[in-house]
Amino acid sequence: SFYNEKFRPQFHFTPEAHWMNDPNGMVFFEGEYHLFYQYYPNGTVWGPMHWGHAVSRDLVHWEHLPVALAPDEHGYIFSGSAVVDWKDSSGLFGGKPGLVAIFTHHRFDEEAQVVRQSQSIAYSADRGRTWLTYEGNPVLKGEGIVDFRDPKVFWHEPSQHWIMVLAVGDHARFYRSADLLNWTFCSEFGREEGSHDGVWECPDLFELPVEGSAGDKRWVLIISIGNEEGVPEGSRTQYFVGRFDGETFVNEESADQVLWLDHGRDNYAGVTWSDIPEEDGRRLFIGWMSNWKYANLTPTESWRGAMTLPRELWLKKETGGIRLYQKPVEELNSLRVRTVTLQERLVAAETQLLLESGNGLLEVEGTVNVNESGAAEFGFRLDYASGQSGTVGFDLKRSTVFIDRSGLEGDVPFHETFAGRHEASVQGDHETVTFRIYVDRSSVEIFANGGQAALTDLIFPESEEFELSFYSAGGSVEIVELNIHELASVYE
Ligand code: FRU
């Protein structure tokens, strides 16, 4: 059937055909989640950027819509955001609410032989179905700054202004506006903070309550950092926790502290949805599930690029500070078709076959007691019918969660940095370990320890079917509970 090509994700968003990178313009309006994305409709590698478009009512099933924005006299359409202009502050909607997209125009100035980036506006009065570019574009000029892009805009209630966060080379800048059309510089952040392993891209800024505190709130600043030669991890996403007063962001951590949003290799340029209704209240995130290290080389044919699972973000107070937690949205539970449950099983130091997956789509939720075991490691092996295999597990000596995809690159190796084992440290009492794992046709995601650590990795198994086994090494562990859910494809 359709959308069943080799490696085609069955419950992650992909374009029907051709190239996709960053998620853009995510906004909720009149019952629909909008997802725009960096799109090149004429090829399967990066090219002149458009905004592709899809909508969903449940974040799981997506309807593809025509291209929303195409290159014009100001250049390509790079990344950006969208908001609902509820009170028609822009004056573009005759007093009614409408959708406004704020994005980067990117062009090569032939005369001066330099790249020019500036911020522009497009608007839609028909629920995002058709878009007009604003006559006064660009609304914020780069003035000679080369890396000046990826505007994220939101309404800041206390100061009664729109705020724009912009990525400017090695720092972020904040601007404000009353009408989305005229922007004033407020401040900058970050030249000497966090990771500078690559150029700063795709910022986001939002406030969240802190779990484990009495009504405390903090602001989260998300910054993606670009791929640099010599940095083996390639593109990654970091975040800062601090305060924002409508003009200035102040980091609460020490300047050299680096906080990663995801410890796998394939979660980049992610930002959050705008205008989620208050009665829902979630902060919803999605990232591009690839890495500029090899994004143009992954072995898919008719399309290239996928999004991560949509996730809910929240803050939690830990001993070391306030940290960002994440979990896949619960709407995904609707894909469960059959569940196998195991309880209170002691697993000795050998591998036990749990299940054979015919369609290659699984979710595994579990709680494992590791207290008295002496085990050095436990986890799951994925043994594909093709003979390839990978591992998702916990290293109990180092207190880490890991994905090892060394054996899952596909028949033809495409990049020397792809194969590998990626890990994140897990905090906690170390008596029990909890996790949730998702396996799709070309990805693995694990959320460990109640959402404290996330890893997202692409994989390229040559077959769909695989065997799932549980193992422990160096001692036994007790499975307190394990739910293995066979998942349906969203195309069924
Ligand atoms: C991030 C990025 C953005 C830019 C877009 C271009 O992946 O480099 O900074 O707007 O991709 O496609």
Side-chain angles (χ1 to χ4, degrees):
S1 72
F2 205 38
Y3 299 121
N4 205 20
E5 307 98 321
K6 190 175 168 190
F7 305 132
R8 173 74 89 169
Q10 299 296 301
F11 57 91
H12 287 78
F13 181 81
T14 50
E16 282 186 278
H18 303 121
W19 168 271
M20 176 180 82
N21 55 291
D22 314 356
N24 294 152
M26 291 117 73
V27 63
F28 182 85
F29 188 52
E30 294 192 354
E32 294 177 320
Y33 296 94
H34 290 262
L35 173 62
F36 301 86
Y37 51 90
Q38 288 287 280
Y39 186 47
Y40 181 45
N42 302 314
T44 50
V45 293
W46 190 89
M49 283 289 112
H50 298 55
W51 272 26
H53 189 196
V55 288
S56 171
R57 292 187 170 271
D58 64 0
L59 293 163
V60 178
H61 300 85
W62 293 92
E63 180 192 343
H64 292 289
L65 294 177
V67 164
L69 299 169
D72 59 22
E73 72 272 23
H74 298 293
Y76 300 172
I77 315 293
F78 269 21
S79 287
S81 51
V83 293
V84 182
D85 185 7
W86 289 106
K87 295 181 180 160
D88 192 23
S89 66
S90 62
L92 295 167
F93 303 108
K96 296 200 186 86
L99 293 177
V100 176
I102 310 94
F103 58 89
T104 299
H105 259 129
H106 165 103
R107 75 186 168 93
F108 187 70
D109 183 333
E110 296 284 350
E111 236 166 77
Q113 288 288 300
V114 289
V115 160
R116 303 236 184 254
Q117 296 188 334
S118 54
Q119 318 324 314
S120 287
I121 298 276
Y123 57 102
S124 168
D126 60 357
R127 298 163 56 244
R129 287 346 189 239
T130 56
W131 291 83
L132 293 170
T133 49
Y134 175 57
E135 281 172 19
N137 279 343
V139 295
L140 180 61
K141 285 206 178 110
E143 287 159 14
I145 306 170
V146 174
D147 295 305
F148 192 70
R149 60 176 176 270
D150 309 338
K152 171 72 189 210
V153 171
F154 65 95
W155 175 252
H156 185 249
E157 189 65 27
S159 68
Q160 294 287 301
H161 273 92
W162 298 101
I163 307 292
M164 179 196 292
V165 198
L166 205 62
V168 188
D170 64 352
H171 63 280
R173 285 196 191 172
F174 305 95
Y175 295 81
R176 65 196 273 177
S177 172
D179 59 7
L180 292 166
L181 306 174
N182 298 285
W183 293 92
T184 309
F185 173 77
C186 291
S187 69
E188 62 166 65
F189 168 81
R191 282 182 205 257
E192 317 237 310
E193 314 227 18
S195 170
H196 287 276
D197 275 353
V199 66
W200 283 24
E201 299 182 318
C202 300
D204 196 359
L205 179 65
F206 46 85
E207 193 180 30
L208 283 175
V210 181
E211 197 183 300
S213 78
D216 264 12
K217 289 182 169 188
R218 287 295 185 282
W219 287 81
V220 179
L221 176 65
I222 292 183
I223 301 283
S224 281
I225 59 166
N227 170 43
E228 282 296 324
E229 195 124 358
V231 179
E233 293 87 352
S235 351
R236 282 183 285 179
T237 304
Q238 65 176 329
Y239 69 93
F240 300 91
V241 179
R243 315 221 177 222
F244 180 71
D245 63 1
E247 295 199 49
T248 310
F249 177 82
V250 179
N251 183 12
E252 245 181 27
E253 299 285 337
S254 67
D256 54 7
Q257 168 87 30
V258 180
L259 301 172
W260 299 114
L261 184 136
D262 194 301
H263 297 263
R265 287 290 185 274
D266 301 298
N267 182 352
Y268 193 62
V271 289
T272 64
W273 258 273
S274 185
D275 294 279
I276 297 298
E278 236 166 75
E279 62 270 20
D280 179 321
R282 291 179 297 176
R283 181 52 58 171
L284 299 171
F285 169 98
I286 204 166
W288 173 42
M289 195 158 58
S290 194
N291 191 312
W292 282 118
K293 241 343 161 226
Y294 44 70
N296 279 286
L297 302 171
T298 55
T300 59
E301 269 172 30
S302 57
W303 89 99
R304 192 176 268 124
M307 295 302 177
T308 67
L309 288 178
R311 301 161 186 203
E312 181 182 351
L313 304 181
W314 73 101
L315 289 174
K316 197 166 166 179
K317 201 172 161 72
E318 287 180 3
T319 40
I322 296 169
R323 296 290 178 266
L324 197 60
Y325 277 57
Q326 59 190 295
K327 63 177 176 197
V329 297
E330 61 197 27
E331 286 89 331
L332 289 160
N333 299 354
S334 69
L335 295 174
R336 295 170 180 170
V337 285
R338 201 168 73 90
T339 300
V340 176
T341 300
L342 304 178
Q343 277 170 327
E344 287 168 42
R345 272 209 192 182
L346 224 54
V347 176
E350 80 245 16
T351 303
Q352 295 193 6
L353 177 65
L354 296 176
L355 184 111
E356 289 174 40
S357 171
N359 69 356
L361 312 175
L362 279 190
E363 176 196 348
V364 183
E365 282 179 294
T367 304
V368 169
N369 191 328
V370 296
N371 198 22
E372 296 152 79
S373 65
E377 187 178 315
F378 82 89
F380 299 89
R381 283 177 55 94
L382 310 177
D383 290 299
Y384 283 88
S386 58
Q388 298 163 280
S389 57
T391 314
V392 184
F394 288 83
D395 181 329
L396 301 171
K397 296 281 177 258
R398 294 160 46 80
S399 290
T400 59
V401 52
F402 67 87
I403 298 177
D404 190 340
R405 66 173 177 187
S406 304
L408 288 171
E409 185 165 359
D411 276 351
V412 185
F414 56 87
H415 199 268
E416 73 268 16
T417 61
F418 185 84
R421 185 184 192 270
H422 313 134
E423 64 176 16
S425 76
V426 282
Q427 311 290 315
D429 62 6
H430 298 300
E431 201 163 290
T432 54
V433 174
T434 67
F435 49 85
R436 212 157 143 199
I437 303 166
Y438 282 86
V439 184
D440 200 341
R441 294 273 168 81
S442 48
S443 64
V444 176
E445 281 149 295
I446 178 161
F447 303 85
N449 214 9
Q452 180 241 320
L455 282 91
T456 306
D457 271 353
L458 290 175
I459 57 171
F460 293 100
E462 296 287 335
S463 62
E464 291 168 11
E465 316 82 65
F466 68 88
E467 291 181 352
L468 180 77
S469 310
F470 189 90
Y471 74 94
S472 83
S476 59
V477 295
E478 184 197 4
I479 295 173
V480 179
E481 177 152 5
L482 198 60
N483 290 302
I484 308 166
H485 306 286
E486 296 182 67
L487 301 181
S489 161
V490 299
Y491 305 117
E492 272 167 23

